[in-house]
Every structure is written in C-alpha cells, then in structure tokens.
Amino acid sequence: MSDTTHHRICPLCEACCGLELKVREGKVISIRGHDSDAFSAGYICPKGVALKDLHEDPDRLRTPLIKRNGEFVPASWDEAFAEIERRLPPLLAQHGRQAGAISVGNPSAHKIGLLLYFSRLAKALGSRNVFSASTLDQMPKQLSSGLMFGHWLSIAVPDITRCDFLLVLGANPLASNGSLWTVPDFKGKAKAMQARGGKLVVIDPRRTETAAVADAHHFIRPGADVFLLLGLVHTLFDEKLVRLGRIAPLVDGVDAVEAAVQGFSAEVVAPRCGIDAQTIRSLARQLAATPRAAVYGRIGTCTQEYGTLASWLVDVLNVLTGHLDEPGGAMFPKAAAFAHNTAGQPGSGRGITTGRHTSRVSGAPEVFGELPMTCLAEEIETPGPGQVRALITVASNPVLSSPNGARLAQALDSLDFMVSLDIYVNETSRHADVILPGPSPLEDMHYDVAFPQFSWRNHARYSAPVFAAPQGQPAEWETLLKLAAIVQGEGAGADAGQLDDRHFAEDAKKRFGDHADAVIDAMQGLRGPDRLLELALRTGPYGDQFGRDPAGLTLAKVQAAPNGIDLGELQPRMPELLRTPSGKIELAPPSLLKDLQRAAQAITQPVPAMVIVGRRDVRSNNSWMHNLPVLAKGPMRCTALVHPDDAKRLGLTDGAPARISNQGRSIEAQVQVSEEMMPGVVSLPHGWGHGLPGTRMALAAERPGANLNALLDEDRRDPLSGNAVLSGVPVELQAVSA
C-alpha cells in the first residue's frame, strides 16, 4: 500500500508549526516539518514528532471510565453520561449552582472544540466558580493589555523580522518558540536580526538558551523585573527621551505615569534588581535611540508578586519610545477569525471590567470571568453556603500545576462528585468519579483560535483529521454540549447535533436580527466548530462577507490550501484596534498606579539568600508530555540548577540529591551545578512530580522528578490578576545524606 501525505498544525505548543505526516496502512510512519507551510516554513521541534507517540500511547484513554468501589472500570459513553445525570443534577438542585465548579487547562487552547464550546458548559453550570490555567501563567498580561487597549487578547508582540533591538525579560523563546507570541523558529529569526546588525538583549536569572545566543545577557534578581522596568521608564523621562511618535494623539496618561515613577530612578532600583544603574540607563537609551525596537516579557514577568505591573510596564516602555504599533516594534496581529478586536465598532468599545464578584473564602476578585486557581482548594474545603461539592475539569491538572497540590488533592477527595474530560488518568483526574476521554489530535479537525492573535505574521490554516475517530467516540464539542444539557436538566439523551443547531440559531438571531435566517441557510451542511469557523472567517477582516467580497476568505478556501494562506506581515492597527471607552491607549490605569505603592514599600526589603525559579525545556510543555517516549528519552531534565558558588557554600554535589524546603514543605531533586544560574537562585522545571498513587502514566512514573509547585504557597498571588506567585520564592537547600 502506498503512503499518503497529510498536513497538520501541531497542537502541542504555541509555535503551531506546520507538519507533514506520512501514513501507511493506518499508521503514522514519519512526521517532519512542512517546508511549504505559509507560517512555519518547515520548522519543527521534537514535540511535533511526538504526535505519533501521543496517538499510539497505550496509556491514553480510549473509553470512558467510571469509578466503582474506588477503582476505575471501563464504561460505554451512554453509561458514563447516565452516571453523570444520576449524580450531578441532584447535587446542584440540593445545594445550588455555586456548589458546582469548573476548571480548564491550557491544552484546551490547542483544541478548537474545547475552546469554542467550553463557554456553553460554563454558562449552563451557572456558577461563579470558574478556574483555569490562565491564573498560573498569563493572566497579568491579559489584564494589563485589557486595561490599556480595551480587550484581554489585544496583546502586542515583537515584529521580529523588522526589529533592530529586542529586549527580552523573563522569557525563553528559543525553548518555547514564543509564549503569547507565536513565533516558530525564533532562533532563526533572531540570527537573521543579528545578521542585519540588530541586537538581542536578555534579562533573566538564568543564562537560558535564548540568552546564550543573545548579544548581551544580564542577571536579574527574581521578582525584581518591576523595579528594572520602573528604572527604565524613569530614565526615559529623566533624560527627556520620551517620543510617542505617530500614536501621540491616542495616548492618555503620560503625565500620570511620569509622576508615578518619580521614586524609581535607576540608582534607586539598581540594588533591588541586581543590575547596575549605568546598565539600566544604557538600555533605556538604546531603546529610545533605535528606530525599530521592542520590549517583550513573558512568564517570568507574569508569575511573580508584581505580575500585572511588570506586564503593564513592558508596554509602557514600547509606547514611550514610539515603538508601539510601528513596524519593527511591538505590533498587533490581525487574525482572520475569532478576534474581538476586529469586530464591532473600530476604535472604541466597552473596555474590560474586573471584580464583578469575588471568591467566597478569600474574597479574590474575578478577572476575565475567572477566580484564581489557587482558591479552588479552599472553596472545596470550607463549609457553608456556596461550598463547592462538585467539579468538572477539562484538560486540567492543577494537582501538579498549581501551588500546594497536596492540599488540593486532599480537597478533591472530599468532593461529592467529580467529572474529568481528559486523555489520561493523571494526578488530578485520578480523583474523578467519571473520566470522559477526547479523541487523539490526529482524529480531529483543527484551526487555531487563539494563537493567530499573537502570531509573528498573519495567516489562516486548517487541518483535516488524519484518521477517523473510533466508532462511538464523540467529538469534544459534542461531549461539552451533552454535559451542558445534563446540567440544565435536558437529560443524557439529548442529541448534541440538535443542541448545536439550536444554540447556533439563537446566537444568529441575537447577532444578525432579521438576517439570521439567511445566515443559518448559508451554513447548511455544517455543524460544530466547522460552522462557527465558517461564520468567523466570512465575517472576519479578510472574509468574503457572504459574497460582498468574492476574493475574501471562506472555510472552503482555507480548507483547500494545504500550505495555509499567508495574510502578510503585521501592519499598524491604531486606532481601529482600540476597544477602550475613551478610544485612547490608557497608559495610566488607576488600579496599576495604586499598586505601585506596594512596589515602593518593597523596594528596600532585604533580598532572600536563596530563591527558586522555574524553567522551560523544548521537550516539555505540558506534564503529560513526560509520558511520550520521543520527549522523555535522554538525560534527566528535572534537575535543580545551582551556581558553583552556592553549591560550594551549601555542600552540594553535582548529580547528588538536595532537599529544597519552604515553609515546612520540601522536595528532593538532583543537583546540577551550572554557571548558567545567577548566584542565590536555584532553578527547577515546572510540570514534574509524577507517580502519585492511582495515576496511569507508566513512562512518566519511571522518572517522576520533583514537583516545584509542591513547595509554593497557594495564598501568594498578584492581587490585581489573581495569578499565582511561582517565581522568586525563598527556599533553603541542603545536601541529602547518603
């Protein structure tokens, strides 16, 4: 039998690389980069090759599981839905809607069915107890962008192909290929920038893979990014380097920012961040003097005490140096579909609102419709009206990915009922009463909803399924609609297709009014994500507008382009992108200026002798990837990186175990002595700690590693965004006796 070739978008990280798969007799025989892909041009990392391992993994669930007498047993889909109907609605009827909670993990961002239909389930549940991985990762950037530009996903990204000076803080795009910046082959693009005379400067407490290829690298004390950024902003004002450029008429709050940073000169902040004042001033001058420059900060700037402030100040710098919305600076992609900043009235809007409700126990404010993930355990444990008694998790593993997972695991065991949508029995889903697996990514269609909104270049790409799903396996959107129907009392027998038709018709009438029937007729023959994608493409900024622009995009055109469709380099989008009520860039949101007082009080606090930070490895994005042979092979990657001076001072030996402790909690990890680390900082990768009782991930359990998050305090959060503090936490290290 001859081989067949299939093209896919890789769904395993934010790079979204195009893949070329060869299939023979129902088996994947090779995966390589798709050379003609309009977006990634043949680039691939090891995760793309691992799709074969994921598809074939014997530990990946292929049938629902129901827990009987404490043990999981296989069940049919009808049996699983019937069990949920038998147990979940009565709980909600007895204790109220707030007794239910829902948690969603970041794999959902890579699955169009989960991403577009999760809201249906959340709305049906009707609870304020919505949690996601966003508050373990990027919520500070979403919040600051929303306050400044009017929408949570209006996030500026470096225009790297035209940039001549790129300042990177707390990010390692060589390993991640971007984060909230979809940029496959960052290394190649960075080298091209350097070849034309451009400079890459990295600020990080570790000499990362990105720092290793940079023109300059500066260590910074973890958690001090906010002070460095304030020093840079202060220098711009102090040395009269502020140049707003073309967007000057659109910027409100410059004077307020200048007044707010008066106490943060380079000389004042230097001791706190560990970077001398002259270097800080020099960086500010380079940013101001380079016509095409950008500042980019990511997870290291988000997962700290001042995550929202740091995220905001990155864009303040881009604005004040005239580099926001300019070629070669920090620009805004224009996605072909699903981007709210391309819909509605251009140039102004409702903006964003936070704090519409608060968590029951800690009073943490709602942000983007969510409560902090670190509040979930206490909401389950604490008696009283609104106590969480039932939980639905969707591709979510907070026992491993959030602070003090041991407490959360104990709380999950106390639930009256739990459902997990997951492809593995992992550290979280092992607590469920019912597990509903999704199909393999190779059995599902795919279109990236979120990542074109952060992409280095505008594009549209579609992936058809490589294999048919097993008989009886519902699509993930169908599973979510069935759960929504059960929660709403419509029963487990509800037909997902009919539910989808009803919801689509209702939404069409709200959006299109008298024209709704014509829109519905134009979508005949489509259901699920394909129908929503067709509508989004046709009404999007490049769409055919239902025939008014015959050259515009439709689903059929995107499906017919195996290489994807290139929609061009990033273009200036001000003011049409803005969705703030004022129609301006809000440079000085009051809540952020107020939070500066907290930073001012902390600037002279003593620096701990040793703090811990996470790190990223190109072979490890989500924890379940440790169960895939092509990614798990090779040297142990869950090591504690320690500077030689610290190792000598603490009696630590390369390759030997060390105990890492914080507030009575401790873990053990293998020491790796490395000059990559800043003295006084230890680094341990995120997402390890496998092998807990009841999990079914055999390969991951062979080398479980140590769980960094087990050390961390679930009560430490950025107060504005609710994001967990995962970086810069004080720890103690000691050698473990043989």
Side-chain angles (χ1 to χ4, degrees):
M1 182 179 290
S2 61
D3 299 346
T4 58
T5 300
H6 301 264
H7 294 115
R8 293 285 301 178
I9 306 163
C10 180
L12 299 186
C13 82
E14 292 188 42
C16 304
C17 299
L19 307 177
E20 183 176 287
L21 288 76
K22 298 288 186 182
V23 174
R24 182 186 305 156
E25 298 181 353
K27 295 283 189 179
V28 176
I29 61 170
S30 71
I31 300 178
R32 62 185 299 272
H34 181 195
D35 291 337
S36 299
D37 187 86
F39 183 65
S40 59
Y43 180 79
I44 189 174
C45 84
K47 291 190 290 293
V49 179
L51 266 180
K52 172 180 168 63
D53 286 351
L54 176 60
H55 180 71
E56 298 175 356
D57 189 353
D59 289 335
R60 181 173 62 83
L61 298 180
R62 291 160 172 81
T63 186
L65 300 178
I66 298 177
K67 191 170 284 180
R68 305 285 193 198
N69 300 317
E71 298 291 335
F72 283 119
V73 296
S76 70
W77 283 92
D78 286 344
E79 289 171 333
F81 285 127
E83 179 73 0
I84 296 168
E85 183 180 19
R86 182 178 73 85
R87 298 183 62 181
L88 182 55
L91 267 174
L92 299 176
Q94 180 180 355
H95 299 287
R97 290 288 168 170
Q98 302 311 314
I102 192 165
S103 168
V104 61
N106 74 346
S108 298
H110 300 270
K111 303 296 291 291
I112 186 171
L114 294 180
L115 197 59
L116 294 182
Y117 282 81
F118 173 80
S119 60
R120 298 283 191 202
L121 175 57
K123 183 178 179 180
L125 185 62
S127 173
R128 293 176 173 177
N129 292 307
V130 178
F131 305 87
S132 93
S134 295
T135 52
L136 304 172
D137 189 336
Q138 80 275 3
M139 190 62 85
K141 191 63 182 179
Q142 291 187 259
L143 175 57
S144 67
S145 296
L147 292 171
M148 294 181 74
F149 310 122
H151 194 269
W152 304 94
L153 297 180
S154 291
I155 294 173
V157 302
D159 180 26
I160 190 169
T161 57
R162 293 177 286 190
C163 186
D164 291 326
F165 181 72
L166 179 59
L167 179 62
V168 174
L169 295 92
N172 188 11
L174 203 79
S176 67
N177 287 299
S179 181
L180 294 182
W181 179 27
T182 297
V183 54
D185 191 17
F186 169 84
K187 183 178 182 180
K189 294 176 177 62
K191 284 188 172 296
M193 178 180 70
Q194 292 168 320
R196 63 175 181 265
K199 302 295 182 184
L200 171 64
V201 176
V202 172
I203 311 290
D204 201 285
R206 180 170 77 94
R207 189 171 293 109
T208 63
E209 294 88 343
T210 304
V213 303
D215 296 278
H217 166 243
H218 303 285
F219 285 131
I220 185 170
R221 291 199 173 106
D225 302 78
V226 64
F227 302 111
L228 169 63
L229 292 163
L230 285 165
L232 293 170
V233 172
H234 182 279
T235 300
L236 294 176
F237 286 114
D238 185 52
E239 299 188 8
K240 297 181 171 43
L241 300 174
V242 173
R243 303 286 187 273
L244 301 182
R246 176 181 57 86
I247 64 171
L250 299 173
V251 181
D252 269 357
V254 175
D255 291 343
V257 170
E258 181 176 15
V261 302
Q262 282 308 299
F264 298 97
S265 70
E267 289 71 23
V268 169
V269 303
R272 180 64 179 81
C273 59
I275 300 175
D276 64 82
Q278 185 55 41
T279 297
I280 295 172
R281 289 188 176 273
S282 176
L283 289 171
R285 292 168 191 151
Q286 289 180 74
L287 279 171
T290 307
R292 300 184 300 182
V295 185
Y296 167 67
R298 242 319 271 137
I299 195 163
T301 59
C302 287
T303 55
Q304 57 169 281
E305 296 277 3
Y306 307 98
T308 305
L309 285 180
S311 299
W312 162 63
L313 289 165
V314 165
D315 283 322
V316 169
L317 281 170
N318 286 321
V319 170
L320 295 179
T321 52
H323 299 316
L324 186 78
D325 200 44
E326 290 290 336
M331 304 191 76
F332 298 92
K334 181 182 282 189
F338 303 114
H340 287 275
N341 63 28
T342 65
Q345 179 67 35
S348 64
R350 293 184 298 177
I352 67 166
T353 302
T354 66
R356 291 171 293 184
H357 56 267
T358 59
S359 67
R360 179 179 63 104
V361 180
S362 290
E366 162 273 335
V367 178
F368 199 18
E370 302 177 15
L371 297 174
M373 182 68 84
T374 51
C375 291
L376 177 56
E378 66 186 22
E379 292 296 328
I380 298 171
E381 296 168 342
T382 308
Q387 179 183 6
V388 170
R389 297 172 180 269
L391 175 67
I392 302 172
T393 68
V394 179
S396 178
N397 191 8
V399 169
L400 207 62
S401 63
S402 62
N404 198 2
R407 178 185 178 186
L408 179 57
Q410 187 173 7
L412 296 181
D413 273 338
S414 71
L415 287 167
D416 293 331
F417 190 61
M418 178 175 165
V419 178
S420 288
L421 279 68
D422 212 291
I423 59 174
Y424 287 105
V425 181
N426 61 27
E427 292 78 13
T428 296
S429 64
R430 66 188 171 128
H431 298 276
D433 297 283
V434 179
I435 304 179
L436 305 174
S440 158
L442 299 183
E443 298 165 349
D444 203 359
M445 58 78 70
H446 185 63
Y447 182 95
D448 281 313
V449 173
F451 302 115
Q453 301 184 53
F454 315 132
S455 290
W456 74 277
R457 189 174 180 89
N458 295 316
H459 66 284
R461 298 176 298 162
Y462 179 96
S463 296
V466 175
F467 303 114
Q471 186 172 4
Q473 167 74 56
E476 287 164 321
W477 65 270
E478 293 176 309
T479 299
L480 291 174
L481 287 181
K482 291 271 282 188
L483 288 176
I486 291 171
V487 167
Q488 289 181 308
E490 297 181 54
D495 181 86
Q498 293 177 3
L499 293 171
D500 189 46
D501 288 342
R502 187 184 77 199
H503 289 311
F504 186 78
E506 291 171 352
D507 290 346
K509 291 184 186 302
K510 290 178 183 177
R511 180 175 175 184
F512 298 104
D514 294 340
H515 301 288
D517 288 341
V519 171
I520 294 169
D521 289 342
M523 302 289 117
Q524 287 297 324
L526 295 172
R527 269 185 175 169
D530 278 322
R531 176 162 51 186
L532 298 182
L533 176 57
E534 166 81 316
L535 180 61
L537 286 168
R538 298 187 73 173
T539 59
Y542 311 95
D544 81 330
Q545 308 302 319
F546 292 105
R548 290 195 295 274
D549 180 6
L553 292 182
T554 65
L555 176 58
K557 288 182 181 179
V558 178
Q559 288 175 323
N563 302 332
I565 297 175
D566 178 33
L567 297 172
E569 59 190 2
L570 306 186
Q571 300 292 332
R573 293 194 58 197
M574 293 291 176
E576 62 87 8
L577 167 126
L578 293 172
R579 294 297 183 272
T580 55
S582 65
K584 301 288 186 71
I585 297 169
E586 298 295 347
L587 200 66
S591 60
L592 302 187
L593 296 187
K594 182 179 180 181
D595 201 38
L596 280 177
Q597 300 171 16
R598 187 169 61 96
Q601 295 169 358
I603 198 167
T604 57
Q605 290 180 356
V607 177
M610 180 66 72
V611 297
I612 197 165
V613 298
R615 69 177 185 271
R616 176 74 173 267
D617 185 274
V618 71
R619 292 178 178 268
S620 177
N621 186 32
N622 291 100
S623 57
W624 49 267
M625 292 182 183
H626 302 148
N627 210 56
L628 306 181
V630 75
L631 300 181
K633 67 182 180 181
M636 181 60 176
R637 296 178 181 88
C638 187
T639 58
L641 293 180
V642 182
H643 189 273
D645 291 349
D646 290 323
K648 182 178 180 180
R649 174 173 59 88
L650 298 169
L652 305 177
T653 303
D654 190 77
R659 182 171 294 109
I660 310 172
S661 305
N662 171 42
Q663 296 183 336
R665 295 189 287 269
S666 65
I667 58 175
E668 290 186 10
Q670 178 183 318
V671 171
Q672 184 177 350
V673 178
S674 173
E675 292 189 352
E676 289 181 7
M677 293 310 304
M678 182 180 188
V681 184
V682 57
S683 171
L684 196 67
H686 165 87
W688 294 80
H690 302 289
L692 293 176
T695 61
R696 297 186 185 178
M697 299 175 69
L699 184 60
E702 290 179 8
R703 293 199 294 180
N707 184 4
L708 162 64
N709 296 317
L711 291 172
L712 306 180
D713 183 354
E714 65 273 36
D715 295 325
R716 290 188 67 181
R717 295 185 284 268
D718 168 28
L720 298 180
S721 67
N723 210 85
V725 175
L726 308 176
S727 180
V729 175
V731 294
E732 296 179 358
L733 269 71
Q734 62 184 116
V736 176
S737 301

